[in-house]
Amino acid sequence: MDTTGPVDHPGLAGLLRLAGDPAAIVAAFENFPTVLSYYEGPDMVIRAANAACRALYRRDDVVGLPVGEAVPAAVGQELIETLQRVLAEQREFVGIEWRMVLDRSDPNSEVFLNFTVIPVLHPDARSRGVVAHAVDVTREILARRAT
């Protein structure tokens, strides 16, 4: 399935019919072991964030907030700008070993992520939002540094 295709692409209705119980799908999203999130608008309002995402952001109340408000330390670290660029350009972005500090007052909040951000489009091909999938590779980076 084309991940950059319209949200209400004709094939999506068939997939939704076949998907089964919506609660099971939500539970699968919520319990997925890596970060999954969905953002909309120029301020990158978080519309969905699974448990791994909320744990990364170190708070449970992120849905409905612009990412810069949910994670103030993200401002100035190119994350928000990257999400906005994917939205504007409608092009996927892949980050490898991307360094972020999630809490400027906590030296242990440094993380390294491998992630992919893809655009989500309206049926008329206008940008709607972006989906992000990230894997925390901090342990691997720190182990490599220690050798």
Side-chain angles (χ1 to χ4, degrees), residues 2-90:
D2 177 9
T3 58
T4 62
V7 173
D8 56 356
H9 183 274
L12 186 58
L15 288 174
L16 290 172
R17 272 194 313 281
L18 295 172
D21 180 10
I25 295 167
V26 169
F29 175 86
E30 175 65 12
N31 295 309
F32 202 75
T34 58
V35 172
L36 297 172
S37 51
Y38 174 63
Y39 309 85
E40 284 186 335
D43 293 331
M44 292 294 121
V45 174
I46 301 166
R47 297 297 179 199
N50 72 347
C53 181
R54 296 190 312 275
L56 176 71
Y57 288 168
R58 297 179 169 198
R59 58 188 291 188
D60 285 325
D61 62 341
V62 298
V63 174
L65 298 176
V67 71
E69 184 179 331
V71 188
V75 175
Q77 295 190 67
E78 296 296 317
L79 173 66
I80 298 167
E81 295 83 356
T82 298
L83 297 173
Q84 291 168 331
R85 191 169 40 257
V86 169
L87 182 71
E89 295 176 2
Q90 298 182 355

Side-chain angles (χ1 to χ4, degrees), residues 98-139:
W98 185 289
R99 180 186 176 272
M100 282 190 62
V101 176
L102 297 169
D103 179 348
R104 295 185 201 282
S105 66
D106 180 359
N108 294 319
S109 73
E110 177 184 57
V111 296
F112 293 86
L113 302 170
N114 288 347
F115 66 94
T116 301
V117 181
I118 61 169
V120 176
L121 307 179
H122 285 285
D124 64 2
R126 287 178 301 117
S127 295
R128 178 178 183 151
V130 298
V131 172
H133 170 258
V135 176
D136 185 343
V137 293
T138 305
R139 278 191 229 145

